Amino acid sequence: MLGPEEAVRFHGHKGPYLAWGYRAARLAEERLSPKGLKDLVCRARLPLRTPYTCILDGVQTGSRCTLGKCNLVVEEGDEVVLVFECNGRVLRVKPAIDLEGVSKKYGLEEGFEYVLSSPSSFLFEVSVDG
């Protein structure tokens, strides 16, 4: 896993959607504790347009889930839902905040910092199975 600044270098700029995806991936890593490179799988359902797709770069840099290893599966959807699976356990993560509103209120750089520094309970709706 990369740190938040490496996520910015990978993605090309700061933004709240990148930070949200990064934080969601870190939450999945912490809660599901994968051991191997392919133990964690993420199925991401979201609108396939920017800025929503910025979440995917956050997921890739915050976890071991990547498009290249095929353990990040992307599907078109009307809302953002990340489903992380590891060893029979499932963690579903949805935004609990209005990411578009954060972007409008704070802009890209401040929005990135705002999301990074906010408590997980404020950022995410989470459910766990298994």
Side-chain angles (χ1 to χ4, degrees):
M1 286 71 50
L2 302 175
E5 290 307 314
E6 287 88 4
V8 171
R9 279 196 291 281
F10 176 80
H11 184 65
H13 65 88
K14 292 181 177 182
Y17 290 82
L18 173 68
W20 189 89
Y22 179 85
R23 291 284 309 276
R26 299 304 308 134
L27 180 72
E29 286 273 342
E30 291 166 14
R31 296 245 183 125
L32 299 176
S33 302
K35 302 297 182 226
L37 285 175
K38 290 184 120 181
D39 287 351
L40 186 64
V41 174
C42 178
R43 296 189 187 289
R45 191 170 48 250
L46 63 156
L48 293 180
R49 64 181 184 280
T50 58
Y52 299 99
T53 52
C54 300
I55 290 169
L56 300 172
D57 284 351
V59 169
Q60 289 186 100
T61 54
S63 72
R64 302 173 208 201
C65 299
T66 66
L67 293 168
K69 287 198 313 294
C70 297
N71 61 343
L72 173 56
V73 179
V74 180
E75 303 168 356
E76 175 81 37
D78 294 333
E79 62 180 8
V80 175
V81 181
L82 302 178
V83 179
F84 293 92
E85 300 173 29
C86 181
N87 300 323
R89 296 184 66 211
V90 177
L91 180 79
R92 286 179 185 78
V93 183
K94 297 169 103 176
I97 62 169
D98 174 13
L99 290 167
E100 185 177 342
V102 170
S103 288
K104 287 179 180 176
K105 182 175 181 178
Y106 296 104
L108 293 178
E109 292 204 10
E110 279 187 53
F112 177 84
E113 300 301 335
Y114 178 80
V115 171
L116 276 187
S117 64
S118 294
S120 293
S121 60
F122 177 74
L123 297 175
F124 308 117
E125 292 178 19
V126 178
S127 64
V128 180
D129 299 330

